Amino acid sequence: MSMSESSTESTALPPTLRAERRGDVAILTLTRADKRNALDDATVSGLERFFSAPPDGVRAVVLTGDGEHFSAGLDLTELSERDVFAGVEHSRSWHRAFERIEFGTVPVVAVLHGAVIGGGLELAAAAHIRVAERSAFYALPEASRAIFLGGGGTVRLPPLIGASRVMDMILTGRTLSAEDGQAIGLTHYLVDEGAGLAKGLEIAGRIAGNAPFTNYAVIQLLPRIARSDPAAGFATEALAAAIAQGEDEAKARLKAFLEKSGPKVARS
Ligand code: 1HE
């Protein structure tokens, strides 16, 4: 049953977003294929609402797009009407929405194909895992349009691929293929055309099987520890480790392993 039939959360979504449920995984799809899933204000605010309060029982989200492209980025038709102050507020609204993805309550797997451009790449960078079909291509064409990144890309992309590569992408507008993206760590999983959603669901299903607190601690703490000084990082890690091991779920899973009923780690 789709969530639009079963819960009130998604009734608040704009028509450019569709939420569905597969057990404890939600699929959130950009549905504006006729405009190449360009991100307008209503869509960005819908993303913020969805990720601020994922439906009850959802333990991971797959984020994808209808049509030939994941997202052409910022809806350029909305740009001409903004003055400077409105532009700052607009960028901040994207920051709020994407912050709810990166630092939300559940891990997010982005499934990418076709254009992953500008704000579309900033959106993908806010997800925790990226699956790319071979058609996916990444670009930051802001400079050629005489604008600037505004969806958090200057913050989120450098830790992923290095400030120097982001500099090159912005200044030259060059396009990276899904394979290029894999070589530099942007694409976590490279899959054949049409295989992205199945792979994304498989990964999300595995993630959903983790203890919710561990997933939460990973998405909340890992990026912050990576940006902090090591001494603060070690202290934060130690506290998280102690909290996690005190959870009933951890006790049960460790007991299961010691009693030979828990899973072993398998070779890849
Ligand atoms: C759009 C947008 C858009 C398409 N805003 N309407 N993003 C860009 O600079 C990318 C601009 N788009 C493209 O380069 C191409 O559209 C694509 C490579 C993504 C796809 O090409 P194609 O040939 O499949 O589609 P199309 O014919 O170019 O576009 C189909 C329709 O979508 C068309 O509208 P129509 O009414 O003529 O049918 C396009 O106008 C519309 N469309 N992309 C609005 N982006 C927070 S700051 C972030 C800053 C940025 O994101 S900058 C990057 C902006």
Side-chain angles (χ1 to χ4, degrees):
M1 181 188 284
S2 81
M3 284 190 298
S4 50
E5 293 160 11
S6 66
S7 76
T8 52
E9 288 97 336
S10 55
T11 56
L13 293 179
T16 50
L17 290 173
R18 180 180 69 246
E20 299 159 76
R21 188 80 177 252
R22 301 282 170 86
D24 48 15
V25 173
I27 307 173
L28 188 66
T29 305
L30 303 169
T31 60
R32 205 184 176 206
D34 58 328
K35 298 293 179 189
R36 308 310 185 246
N37 293 321
L39 300 167
D40 59 5
D41 290 349
T43 306
V44 171
S45 125
L47 288 167
E48 182 181 357
R49 285 197 302 281
F50 182 85
F51 286 103
S52 292
D56 284 350
V58 164
R59 288 177 158 214
V61 176
V62 171
L63 175 65
T64 188
D66 278 346
E68 302 293 306
H69 302 279
F70 174 71
S71 174
L74 172 70
D75 185 331
L76 295 169
T77 62
E78 288 185 344
L79 199 63
S80 54
E81 288 139 37
R82 287 190 199 108
D83 61 16
V84 169
F85 189 19
V88 172
E89 280 300 293
H90 174 260
S91 171
R92 299 299 286 157
S93 76
W94 282 54
H95 293 164
R96 275 196 306 279
F98 292 5
E99 166 106 3
R100 297 313 301 156
I101 298 174
E102 185 183 10
F103 293 114
T105 53
V106 295
V108 179
V109 180
V111 173
L112 310 171
H113 65 292
V116 185
I117 290 181
L121 177 52
E122 293 178 299
L123 174 59
H128 305 100
I129 303 280
R130 280 163 294 280
V131 175
E133 295 187 352
R134 289 189 187 279
S135 67
F137 57 100
Y138 306 106
L140 294 169
E142 281 84 347
S144 70
R145 311 234 183 263
I147 56 175
F148 196 73
L149 289 76
T154 61
V155 175
R156 291 197 182 90
L157 287 168
L160 289 179
I161 61 173
S164 149
R165 285 198 186 89
V166 182
M167 182 78 80
D168 177 28
M169 288 180 76
I170 299 173
L171 290 179
T172 68
R174 74 183 288 183
T175 295
L176 301 182
S177 67
E179 286 87 349
D180 295 335
Q182 189 179 41
I184 61 175
L186 193 52
T187 304
H188 289 104
Y189 298 87
L190 179 63
V191 297
D192 286 337
E193 218 42 37
L197 185 58
K199 186 68 178 176
L201 283 168
E202 176 203 321
I203 293 165
R206 203 176 316 143
I207 291 170
N210 297 334
F213 178 78
T214 304
N215 282 344
Y216 182 74
V218 169
I219 64 178
Q220 291 292 323
L221 298 183
L222 188 58
R224 291 184 166 116
I225 290 174
R227 287 173 206 161
S228 68
D229 76 280
F234 286 127
T236 307
E237 180 189 273
L239 290 174
I243 295 167
Q245 76 182 19
E247 289 273 306
D248 290 348
E249 179 113 17
K251 305 261 183 264
R253 291 188 188 209
L254 297 179
K255 184 164 175 280
F257 176 76
L258 296 173
E259 289 172 352
K260 314 276 183 220
S261 60
K264 282 192 189 182
V265 178
R267 283 191 185 82
S268 63

